């Protein structure tokens, strides 16, 4: 199995970033994070596209985090609060990668099929403000929950 998690294609100034590990249900492993960071760097720096579409191969969009992404940070060490807090820096780094999706200079759309679990939901819920405004419908505005979700809003947008 290849270590590559993504295929990136650009046509008519639209980038298509495809999760491409269907046998693993596109789970997010340690190499996933490094590869996604490099792709986001290229998209932001070189600006080869005006929009980004996230999609996936296989039956499911994403099975969430692959447990090996956590390494020893999730080892059952209850000896101290510091031992239990080992996971915090790891999660913060992963969250920064997802935050970069909202900071891209282009709208980001997610085309989800099948299951979208755990971190896959977080990744797909990071639309840019323009995308979030375009996605709102009257049904969303009438609901009791906010749209877009608070985590998907950027600091400079009131929508």
């Amino acid at each position: 199995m290849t270590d590559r998690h993504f295929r990136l294609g650009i046509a008519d100034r639209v980038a298509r970033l495809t999760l491409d590990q269907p046998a693993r249900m596109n789970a997010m492993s340690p190499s996933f994070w490094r590869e996604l960071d490099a792709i986001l760097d290229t998209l932001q720096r070189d600006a080869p596209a005006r929009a980004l579409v996230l999609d996936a191969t296989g039956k499911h969009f994403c099975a969430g985090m692959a447990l090996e992404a956590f390494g020893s940070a999730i080892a059952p060490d209850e000896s101290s609060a510091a031992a239990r807090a080992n996971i915090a820096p790891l999660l913060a780094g992963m969250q920064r990668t997802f935050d970069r999706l909202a900071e891209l200079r282009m709208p980001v759309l997610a085309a989800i099929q099948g299951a979208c679990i755990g971190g896959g939901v977080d990744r797909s819920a990071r639309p840019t403000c323009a995308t979030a405004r375009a996605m709102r419908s009257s049904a969303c505005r009438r609901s009791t929950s906010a749209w877009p979700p608070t985590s998907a809003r950027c600091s400079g947008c009131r929508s």
Side-chain angles (χ1 to χ4, degrees):
M1 180 182 317
T2 179
D3 282 343
R4 304 232 9 122
H5 288 265
F6 300 97
R7 278 185 288 120
L8 177 64
I10 300 172
D12 298 323
R13 306 271 299 159
V14 174
R16 181 177 178 183
L17 184 57
T18 303
L19 282 76
D20 196 21
Q21 286 203 341
R24 296 188 60 203
M25 291 189 285
N26 298 308
M28 298 176 288
S29 70
S31 59
F32 168 95
W33 299 101
R34 292 186 294 274
E35 189 177 348
L36 182 57
D37 262 337
I39 291 168
L40 295 176
D41 279 342
T42 299
L43 291 172
Q44 184 70 2
R45 182 186 60 246
D46 300 344
R50 295 183 54 133
L52 172 63
V53 176
L54 298 174
D55 66 358
T57 58
K59 184 177 178 181
H60 300 292
F61 183 76
C62 183
M65 190 69 65
L67 291 181
E68 72 260 20
F70 294 111
S72 63
I74 60 170
D77 182 357
E78 298 292 327
S79 61
S80 70
R84 290 187 301 275
N86 280 342
I87 198 166
L90 178 65
L91 292 175
M94 293 173 183
Q95 191 61 51
R96 278 191 296 277
T97 299
F98 282 156
D99 290 345
R100 294 181 67 204
L101 283 171
E103 296 164 0
L104 280 177
R105 60 172 80 198
M106 64 191 74
V108 179
L109 305 168
I112 300 170
Q113 82 281 354
C116 183
I117 301 169
V121 174
D122 196 22
R123 177 181 52 233
S124 62
R126 293 283 178 173
T128 61
C129 294
T131 305
R133 283 191 297 270
M135 289 170 35
R136 271 189 277 172
S137 70
S138 60
C140 291
R141 286 192 293 271
R142 286 193 308 266
S143 74
T144 56
S145 61
W147 182 258
T150 304
S151 64
R153 295 180 187 165
C154 79
S155 58
C157 180
R158 292 195 170 125
S159 61

